[in-house]
Amino acid sequence: MKHVLFSRNDKTSLFIDGLNLYHASRALGFEIDFKGLRQFFVENTHFIRANYYASMIESDEHSPLRPLADWLVYNGYHLIIKKAREYTDHCGKKRIKGGVSVDLAVDLLQQSKRLDHVVIMSGDSDLRRAVSALQDKGIRVTLISTIKTPQPMISNDLRRQADQFIELNDIAHHFIRTG
């Protein structure tokens, strides 16, 4: 495992693309313990904030995401919910549209004036320009995702842009959900 570079002196915030992290952890065969995840950053950085981004269909009162969303809010996460919409594509298949990358990118840039280091748990190539803009401001960017699944969960462009890429599987033992 490559040495993970975190500094207790760098003001650091965590930005989590919830769906991306969910799929990455599932593909690697584990569930995230979000209390342990937050604690990992509290112990290893000058921790400022954890943002969790998710999309939810507005009419879906009984979403499986609702209990997690409530728990995250009560346990130190800032929750950003994007209203998703359901539609039917040209083949007649029901689809959901509600990506969070624009919201995440805007928050990265808005919060950057208070940060030295940004940790992003996502692999969405749409974030590459936001990462570049942060770096232009002198902010170090670490990406956490995985390339150890049959289909990598992070784009090569995004991974190349980052100051540091951490394989999720290499640090997951700090925050794997048990029981």
Side-chain angles (χ1 to χ4, degrees):
M1 176 175 97
K2 180 179 144 184
H3 180 65
V4 178
L5 301 174
F6 291 119
S7 169
R8 299 274 309 140
N9 297 323
D10 286 349
K11 290 180 278 182
T12 303
S13 281
L14 177 61
F15 295 81
I16 303 168
D17 176 338
L19 188 60
N20 190 281
L21 178 59
Y22 172 81
H23 285 299
S25 64
R26 287 296 176 146
L28 292 168
F30 62 85
E31 288 183 44
I32 300 290
D33 168 9
F34 286 97
K35 185 175 186 177
L37 176 64
R38 188 176 186 284
Q39 190 61 34
F40 175 75
F41 285 96
V42 166
E43 291 172 1
N44 291 289
T45 69
H46 178 151
F47 185 72
I48 303 297
R49 176 179 216 168
N51 293 327
Y52 185 95
Y53 297 81
S55 12
M56 195 179 301
I57 296 175
E58 194 172 306
S59 64
D60 195 359
E61 290 295 318
H62 303 290
S63 166
L65 180 61
R66 181 60 59 199
L68 173 62
D70 290 343
W71 187 93
L72 290 170
V73 168
Y74 292 123
N75 287 277
Y77 284 81
H78 182 71
L79 184 65
I80 300 89
I81 297 286
K82 171 126 183 187
K83 291 179 186 173
R85 65 178 182 85
E86 197 170 17
Y87 69 98
T88 305
D89 69 11
H90 65 281
C91 296
K93 189 172 182 179
K94 286 198 181 240
R95 302 261 185 205
I96 295 175
K97 183 175 178 75
V100 298
S101 54
V102 171
D103 299 80
L104 198 152
V106 168
D107 288 349
L108 282 168
L109 296 171
Q110 283 183 332
Q111 295 176 32
S112 67
K113 50 190 157 248
R114 297 183 300 277
L115 301 172
D116 304 306
H117 187 189
V118 164
V119 179
I120 304 170
M121 297 184 90
S122 180
D124 192 333
S125 63
D126 290 343
L127 296 172
R128 194 198 66 71
R129 283 289 295 131
V131 167
S132 177
L134 290 170
Q135 292 167 323
D136 288 347
K137 293 176 168 214
I139 296 168
R140 196 159 52 94
V141 179
T142 296
L143 295 170
I144 300 175
S145 189
T146 186
I147 57 172
K148 294 192 175 179
T149 53
Q151 180 71 25
M153 300 297 292
I154 186 168
S155 78
N156 284 330
D157 288 343
L158 182 61
R159 190 165 49 116
R160 278 192 292 269
Q161 185 68 49
D163 296 300
Q164 176 178 227
F165 168 72
I166 299 174
E167 172 60 47
L168 177 60
N169 210 34
D170 290 346
I171 62 169
H173 63 278
H174 294 285
F175 44 82
I176 287 179
R177 186 172 167 186
T178 55

